[in-house]
Amino acid sequence: MRIAVIDLGTNTCNLLIAENAPPSFKILHQSKQLVRLGDDKIKLNEISSEATQRVIQSFELHKRIMQRFEVDKIRVIGTSAVRTAANKIHFLSDVGEETGLLIKVVSGEKEAELIFKGVLLAFQELTTASVILDIGGGSNELIFANKKEMLWKESQPTGMARVINHFNLSDPITSAEVLLLKEYFLSAHQNAFQQSKETPVQMLIGCSGAFDTICDMIDQVEPGEKQRTTQVIPLNDFYRVYKILLGSTREQRLTMKGMDMVRVDLIVPAVILIETLISEMDIKKITQTDFALREGVLFDMFYSKTTSK
């Protein structure tokens, strides 16, 4: 059986195609399209007509790829930008009528659960108490876990597209703005920081997105060139990249080796969030993984008896 998962995020629309290969699955194709659901209308919790057209075009392209791979089942997931949009019903109707693809909008809690399932596919079992962080354009998910158990989870609408639309950040960012963002993240995720006192963690597991870009910059490879199930990010390498990014202009980031063009504007607040977790939670180790929401959806579709059709 071949399954396709379309993950409609706030910045990108991602396609993953896999086939059943017990005890796991084999990934056949991965690609993404920039859709920018989180354009300037995200301030109003709306999806613009321009963004709707970008999604329709992306879906049509993904459909052609899925036809080529003769996919048996398709699951389309909508996350933060869709679930918070005031014009959500109109958007879903327009996209469905134009493309024939129905978007299943998941709650923040369900998104966190799926991310955790995806992470477990990469690690099989967590050998130490860890905090999992998925940085999105619309929301951030934080999950505390140990071994094969999810201990605590949250999803907050504090994604990087929302941040850069809310804060008028300088180019390059100033020291005062760095402190402002740290305070913002500390306040918005105060429950997670409180949880870290009750459930001390030593490892930060970073899912995709900004963590991919950090690894690509460390490894000096082009975005998408290197696929990683897991990769350790030494703390000194993280802080080296962190300092480079905080001191950079947008124009400089455009020329950096490993910089994904999708993240040129989003990467600076993202690494500030990561550094806030490291310092406040006393993190000793960072590990990146390519596995997250999409892999969690695949797991549900292949192996869960309760998955809805």
Side-chain angles (χ1 to χ4, degrees):
M1 180 185 291
R2 290 186 173 182
I3 287 178
V5 177
I6 297 176
D7 167 18
L8 178 57
T10 304
N11 297 309
T12 58
C13 184
N14 306 277
L15 173 64
L16 180 62
I17 299 174
E19 66 181 4
N20 202 7
S24 186
F25 51 77
K26 179 182 178 182
I27 294 175
L28 304 177
H29 172 86
Q30 294 186 80
S31 60
K32 65 181 178 183
Q33 299 294 319
L34 180 63
V35 292
R36 290 182 56 243
L37 280 184
D39 57 19
D40 55 2
K41 287 286 188 179
I42 201 170
K43 291 180 181 178
L44 306 174
N45 276 333
E46 290 183 9
I47 297 173
S48 69
S49 57
E50 294 84 1
T52 301
Q53 287 306 308
R54 289 192 292 268
V55 170
I56 290 169
Q57 291 168 8
S58 175
F59 277 15
E60 291 296 345
L61 178 59
H62 287 331
K63 280 172 64 178
R64 291 195 289 272
I65 296 170
M66 291 187 292
Q67 288 168 0
R68 192 168 76 239
F69 279 91
E70 299 180 338
V71 167
D72 300 298
K73 286 187 178 182
I74 302 168
R75 179 65 51 83
V76 186
I77 300 293
T79 55
S80 178
V82 182
R83 65 174 170 253
T84 61
N87 59 339
K88 170 173 59 181
I89 302 301
H90 185 67
F91 167 76
L92 294 172
S93 176
D94 282 354
V95 174
E97 287 179 9
E98 288 288 335
T99 67
L101 294 174
L102 300 179
I103 302 169
K104 180 179 181 180
V105 184
V106 296
S107 67
E109 287 213 342
K110 180 62 176 178
E111 186 174 355
E113 290 171 9
L114 291 168
I115 290 166
F116 176 66
K117 288 181 179 180
V119 168
L120 273 189
L121 282 177
F123 287 84
Q124 303 303 315
E125 182 173 328
L126 304 178
T127 57
T128 184
S130 304
V131 59
I132 299 165
L133 172 62
D134 190 299
I135 302 176
S139 66
N140 299 319
E141 281 68 46
L142 279 157
I143 303 151
F144 287 78
N146 196 8
K147 301 188 185 301
K148 295 184 177 182
E149 184 181 359
M150 181 166 54
L151 306 174
W152 185 90
K153 64 182 182 295
E154 78 164 4
S155 175
Q156 295 289 347
T158 51
M160 299 306 110
R162 297 188 194 276
V163 168
I164 64 171
N165 275 281
H166 180 73
F167 295 95
N168 185 23
L169 300 175
S170 303
D171 184 31
I173 194 168
T174 67
S175 298
E177 289 167 342
V178 173
L179 291 175
L180 179 66
L181 287 186
K182 286 176 70 75
E183 289 300 320
Y184 169 76
F185 289 131
L186 283 168
S187 175
H189 292 282
Q190 59 182 306
N191 291 335
F193 289 106
Q194 180 59 41
Q195 183 65 31
S196 71
K197 296 175 183 177
E198 300 171 15
T199 310
V201 291
Q202 292 191 330
M203 182 162 71
L204 168 62
I205 298 172
C207 300
S208 307
F211 291 93
D212 290 352
T213 297
I214 292 166
C215 284
D216 288 340
M217 290 182 68
I218 292 169
D219 294 343
Q220 287 291 281
V221 296
E222 296 299 333
E225 180 181 332
K226 184 176 180 181
Q227 300 299 314
R228 309 170 178 93
T229 302
T230 66
Q231 178 168 315
V232 172
I233 301 175
L235 281 174
N236 61 330
D237 282 345
F238 167 77
Y239 274 103
R240 177 172 55 82
V241 170
Y242 174 76
K243 290 175 182 176
I244 290 170
L245 291 171
L246 261 58
S248 69
T249 63
R250 186 181 194 276
E251 185 176 358
Q252 289 170 332
R253 292 194 294 277
L254 283 168
T255 65
M256 289 179 181
K257 182 83 168 182
M259 178 60 62
D260 190 334
M261 295 303 101
V262 172
R263 308 206 185 279
V264 168
D265 297 311
L266 311 176
I267 190 67
V268 172
V271 294
I272 291 170
L273 171 58
I274 295 168
E275 199 284 325
T276 303
L277 260 69
I278 293 170
S279 57
E280 293 294 324
M281 296 185 183
D282 196 23
I283 297 295
K284 305 297 185 187
K285 181 179 180 181
I286 312 172
T287 303
Q288 176 268 0
T289 178
D290 281 350
F291 284 37
L293 174 66
R294 294 180 295 283
E295 288 75 17
V297 174
L298 281 177
F299 181 87
D300 260 4
M301 293 180 73
F302 276 131
Y303 309 119
S304 175
K305 296 178 181 178
T306 61
T307 298
S308 59
K309 305 297 182 185

